[in-house]
Amino acid sequence: MRTDTLTSPLAVAGIALRTNNLEAAETIPPQWGAFFDGGGVTQIPHRLGDDVVAVYTAFANEGENNDGDYTFVIGCIVPEGSAPPQGLATVTVPASDRLVFPVAAGRPDLVGEAWQQIWARTDLAKTFVADFERYSAEGDIEISIGVRPQQ
């Protein structure tokens, strides 16, 4: 784990799904399939690279916890203010303090387990505003969660 600061908002355009943690095992894997069946990164115009980003945001209990529904968007980073193409959505991860958890390169099958470990930690001052997974074109995987600034 490392600390990081997102100094400016991060806009991500992609396909959106409203889901929750009780349904995620059934709803999120098909969403990944739909992203790649729809052309993957090539369906995102004006993308700033070929990294794939999966954002969890618009939590029903924003600021409190990840219980309830949230919006899940799989896509690419785009310039802030970019209008998404028809059928796609844009979400913004606000500038924020973050904790970044690496996942073994090339092992997206370990992401769910990594999330379970993060959720189990009660020592993290999570914001529950916008968290994301970043899959680099080179195979690196990271989970980035928003945290409250240290007092």
Side-chain angles (χ1 to χ4, degrees), residues 34-52:
F35 176 73
F36 289 110
D37 289 347
V41 298
T42 62
Q43 67 187 307
I44 315 290
H46 312 297
R47 68 185 177 279
L48 300 175
D50 289 335
D51 290 358
V52 175

Side-chain angles (χ1 to χ4, degrees), residues 55-66 70-71 91-96 98 126-132 145-148:
V55 180
Y56 302 79
T57 192
F59 294 96
N61 298 311
E62 184 172 301
E64 297 177 30
N65 60 49
N66 62 347
Y70 53 82
T71 298
V91 293
T92 301
V93 178
S96 53
R98 317 220 37 99
K126 303 173 205 141
T127 61
F128 299 105
V129 172
D131 300 326
F132 62 91
I145 64 165
V147 292
R148 293 177 177 78

Side-chain angles (χ1 to χ4, degrees), residues 5-140:
T5 301
L6 195 58
T7 58
S8 59
L10 185 73
V12 175
I15 62 171
L17 167 72
R18 192 80 178 152
T19 191
N20 59 60
N21 287 338
L22 297 176
E23 300 171 352
E26 288 80 37
T27 58
I28 290 178
Q31 192 73 351
W32 280 100
F35 176 73
F36 289 110
D37 289 347
V41 298
T42 62
Q43 67 187 307
I44 315 290
H46 312 297
R47 68 185 177 279
L48 300 175
D50 289 335
D51 290 358
V52 175
V53 180
V55 180
Y56 302 79
T57 192
F59 294 96
N61 298 311
E62 184 172 301
E64 297 177 30
N65 60 49
N66 62 347
D67 296 340
D69 290 349
Y70 53 82
T71 298
F72 176 70
V73 174
I74 304 168
C76 297
I77 299 169
V78 296
E80 194 173 357
S82 296
Q86 187 171 352
L88 300 181
T90 299
V91 293
T92 301
V93 178
S96 53
D97 290 335
R98 317 220 37 99
L99 291 176
V100 180
F101 298 84
V103 177
R107 295 292 310 269
D109 58 305
L110 299 178
V111 171
E113 180 182 321
W115 274 116
Q116 294 296 325
Q117 293 171 3
I118 293 166
W119 292 331
R121 293 195 51 182
T122 58
D123 62 319
L124 305 177
K126 303 173 205 141
T127 61
F128 299 105
V129 172
D131 300 326
F132 62 91
E133 302 158 9
R134 187 173 192 155
Y135 299 81
S136 79
E138 294 77 31
D140 295 326

